[in-house]
Structures are given as C-alpha cells and as structure tokens.
C-alpha cells in the first residue's frame, strides 16, 4: 500500500508497506516521468539527505527517490537488517511504484547499499554512481582508508562493540539541541570547498533536518548502521556487471580517495574520477555533474570494460 503525509521538509514523506508488514518511508522528488534514481546516504542522515534544489532535477528530467533505511527516520526497524535484506526492500519498493529499471547513487557508507542492490538485482539496476565511497572493513588494514570521527566509530564498533552504545548514547541524545554546533564542529575539519557548500543556508538547513530526522529514533539505529559499515558486505564486487562510476574528492577528510581506487580495481565495469578540488560533500558541490553522469549512463547503456 502507498500513502503519504506532510513532513517538516518541503518533500512529502510517502510510505510503502513491504511483504512482512514493515513500512518503508521515502520521498519522491523531481520529474515524476523522469529517469528513476534511488539515492542512498551515509551513516548519519535520512530521506532528506540530497540536494534540496528541485529545479535541477526537473531540468535534467530525474525522478529522485530517497528512502529512510530500516529503523531510521520514519521507516520501521528490521531486526534482520543487512545489505542483502536492504536490496530486497528496494526490489519490493520499486515494484510498488511500477518501476522496472532504475539507477542508484550511493554516498560514503551508502555506497555499500547501492552496490548491494546492483549485485542482487542485476537486471533492474542500470548503473551506480558512487560518491566518496567507503570500502568494506574486512580487517584492521582497511581502516587506513578512513580518518577522523568515522574511523574512530568504525574501529570502536569492530573491535569494542560492547562500548559503542555508551559512547554514542550522548551524541544522539544531545544532537537535537546542538545540531548547529555539531555542524560547526564538523565544518572546522572540512576543506574550504566543503565549507562553501554549507555557506548556502538551504543546504545547511536541509542537512541539519536530515541528520535530526535520521537520529530521531536514538542510538540503536545509528549504531546498527556503523556495525553494518564495519562488517563483511556479503557479496563480491567482481560479480557486479552494471556500469559503476566512482567520484571521489582528493580533499575528502574522512574517506581517502585511495579507497575508491581500491574498489574500482575489483569491479569488472567501473571507472574512477578523482576530483582535485572536491571534498567529502561533492554530493552537494558537484550535484549537477553527478546528475549529468546518471543521464549519460541512462542514454548510452554504456559498458566500459567489455
């Protein structure tokens, strides 16, 4: 069943009821007859994570679909939530919308969710654009690709999992009262190009709303996201044959561009664009170019490495 309800954001929240009775919340933006693009966010965020500009979606004829993952935002939790169960949620969601084929875009840890869909739904996912992609953490050596808070979070969840809920309970509890302080702290660690992104009040407010909505259900969801991010993905990149386009900022302070290089080397049909002047938030600073990439992939049905 489909239903929608107003939310604080200009984007209506809609719901689909999955086979097991769980509700999945999402927004459906842009051109309703445009190229379907499912966007998956990083660890902290929600269905509101994506550039707030509607006009660029209309201009480029993109239908942008952004979900709340299970347990976050307004989606019901799934006790068995994993990357592979997520791909099945997406399959059911798209079937409800009568969308047969679509593109994916994954941001930071959302890359794993987008790639899981490409792996599990090879006839339906036409391409994946990956921005600031975080690699799987299969051992301590993989942590070299991460920096700052993200590195500490992954290290904690992988090697001291029993401590993680205590460490993060404070973060999620106080986030609502200090979300703008959180941003100021975050911005101080970012390169100039990312700071410029958040000088745009609309983007800053949108990101604040997204983070608050994502953290609304408190700690368990956030911790669960980190646990999934530091566990084995459960599938092999070499088995994904859809075209994959990796974009990574050279100045990304959280996930090293070498991570994307490593991922691309494992994929049979992938290419990499390293952007000298981009940081973590190229999802905002280069949004029109990323959408152009999706449009190009849609039109050409390209296969790069065949």
């Amino acid at each position: 069943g489909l239903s929608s309800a107003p939310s604080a954001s200009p984007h209506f929240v809609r719901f689909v009821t999955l086979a097991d009775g769980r509700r999945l919340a999402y927004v459906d933006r842009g051109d309703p007859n445009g190229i379907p693009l499912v966007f998956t966010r990083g660890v902290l965020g929600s269905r509101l994570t994506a550039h707030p500009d509607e006009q660029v979606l209309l201009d480029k004829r993109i239908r942008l679909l952004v979900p709340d993952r299970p347990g976050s935002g307004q989606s019901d939790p799934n006790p068995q939530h994993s990357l592979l169960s997520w791909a099945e949620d997406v399959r059911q969601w798209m079937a409800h919308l009568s969308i047969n084929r679509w593109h994916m875009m994954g941001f930071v840890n959302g890359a794993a969710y987008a790639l899981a869909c490409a792996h599990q739904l090879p006839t339906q996912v036409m391409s994946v654009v990956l921005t600031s992609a975080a690699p799987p953490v299969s051992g301590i050596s993989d942590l070299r690709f991460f920096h700052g808070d993200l590195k500490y979070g992954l290290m904690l969840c992988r090697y001291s999992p029993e401590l993680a809920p205590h460490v993060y309970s404070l973060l999620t509890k106080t986030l609502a009262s200090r979300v703008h302080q959180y941003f100021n702290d975050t911005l101080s660690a970012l390169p100039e190009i990312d700071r410029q992104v958040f000088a745009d009040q609309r983007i800053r407010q949108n990101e604040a709303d997204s983070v608050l909505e994502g953290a609304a259900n408190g700690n368990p969801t956030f911790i669960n996201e980190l646990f999934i991010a530091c566990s084995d993905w459960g599938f092999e990149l070499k088995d994904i044959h859809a075209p994959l386009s990796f974009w990574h900022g050279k100045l990304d302070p959280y996930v090293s561009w070498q991570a994307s290089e490593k991922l691309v080397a494992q994929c049979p049909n992938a290419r990499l664009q390293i952007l000298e002047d981009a940081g973590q938030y190229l999802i905002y600073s280069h949004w029109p170019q990323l959408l152009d990439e999706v449009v190009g992939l849609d039109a050409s049905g390209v296969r790069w490495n065949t």
Side-chain angles (χ1 to χ4, degrees), residues 59-74:
D59 291 346
K60 296 184 188 296
R61 309 219 37 211
I62 300 268
R63 180 181 183 182
L64 183 66
L65 296 148
V66 191
D68 276 336
R69 288 203 281 270
S72 75
Q74 297 191 39

Side-chain angles (χ1 to χ4, degrees), residues 41 43-45 70-73 77 81 153 156-157 160-176 211-228:
R41 57 164 175 83
V43 167
L44 201 54
S72 75
H81 180 42
L156 186 69
C157 286
S160 306
E162 66 294 338
L163 284 178
H166 306 291
V167 173
Y168 283 109
S169 63
L170 195 64
L171 173 74
T172 52
K173 235 186 232 113
T174 60
L175 200 55
V211 165
L212 285 177
E213 184 70 20
N217 304 331
N219 219 23
T221 304
F222 176 61
I223 299 287
N224 195 27
E225 285 277 345
L226 278 174
F227 279 132
I228 288 173

Side-chain angles (χ1 to χ4, degrees), residues 217-295:
N217 304 331
N219 219 23
T221 304
F222 176 61
I223 299 287
N224 195 27
E225 285 277 345
L226 278 174
F227 279 132
I228 288 173
C230 70
S231 318
D232 187 69
W233 284 3
F235 60 91
E236 297 280 343
L237 288 171
K238 66 178 172 55
D239 300 328
I240 299 175
H241 294 280
L244 308 179
S245 178
F246 287 80
W247 292 55
H248 214 119
K250 199 84 178 265
L251 307 175
D252 189 325
Y254 294 113
V255 184
S256 158
W257 60 271
Q258 282 102 337
S260 282
E261 206 173 50
K262 182 187 174 181
L263 291 169
V264 167
Q266 297 169 55
C267 302
N269 191 18
R271 67 173 178 186
L272 174 60
Q273 312 215 37
I274 301 290
L275 304 171
E276 293 292 330
D277 64 336
Q280 167 102 124
Y281 288 97
L282 64 90
I283 197 70
Y284 291 126
S285 61
H286 291 68
W287 185 232
Q289 296 95 306
L290 292 167
L291 295 180
D292 284 339
E293 183 79 341
V294 175
V295 173

Side-chain angles (χ1 to χ4, degrees), residues 37-188:
L37 173 63
V38 174
F39 176 83
T40 51
R41 57 164 175 83
V43 167
L44 201 54
S46 66
R47 67 186 181 283
L48 307 179
T49 306
H51 201 298
D53 185 357
E54 280 304 290
Q55 194 54 49
V56 68
L57 297 173
L58 298 171
D59 291 346
K60 296 184 188 296
R61 309 219 37 211
I62 300 268
R63 180 181 183 182
L64 183 66
L65 296 148
V66 191
D68 276 336
R69 288 203 281 270
S72 75
Q74 297 191 39
S75 286
D76 294 336
N78 177 6
Q80 273 74 55
H81 180 42
S82 71
L83 296 178
L84 299 183
S85 73
W86 169 247
E88 174 55 22
D89 288 357
V90 172
R91 189 193 66 74
Q92 292 184 35
W93 171 34
M94 293 294 112
H96 273 280
L97 294 176
S98 304
I99 295 173
N100 300 318
R101 300 185 76 205
W102 63 90
H103 299 266
M104 305 279 315
M105 187 185 290
F107 173 55
V108 195
N109 302 95
Y113 293 85
L115 289 165
C117 291
H119 183 274
Q120 297 298 99
L121 310 168
T123 61
Q124 293 179 286
V125 174
M126 289 187 275
S127 78
V128 189
V129 175
L130 300 134
T131 63
S132 316
V137 180
S138 37
I140 200 146
S141 71
D142 292 323
L143 288 167
R144 75 183 184 280
F145 295 114
F146 296 94
H147 307 284
D149 296 346
L150 184 54
K151 180 175 191 159
Y152 297 126
L154 293 172
M155 201 183 280
L156 186 69
C157 286
R158 188 163 176 107
Y159 297 104
S160 306
E162 66 294 338
L163 284 178
H166 306 291
V167 173
Y168 283 109
S169 63
L170 195 64
L171 173 74
T172 52
K173 235 186 232 113
T174 60
L175 200 55
S177 59
R178 52 179 295 276
V179 70
H180 286 287
Q181 184 55 48
Y182 161 80
F183 269 112
N184 291 336
D185 296 347
T186 304
L187 288 175
S188 64

Side-chain angles (χ1 to χ4, degrees), residues 182-198:
Y182 161 80
F183 269 112
N184 291 336
D185 296 347
T186 304
L187 288 175
S188 64
L190 294 178
E192 180 57 32
I193 185 142
D194 283 340
R195 289 205 292 271
Q196 284 167 16
V197 162
F198 290 107

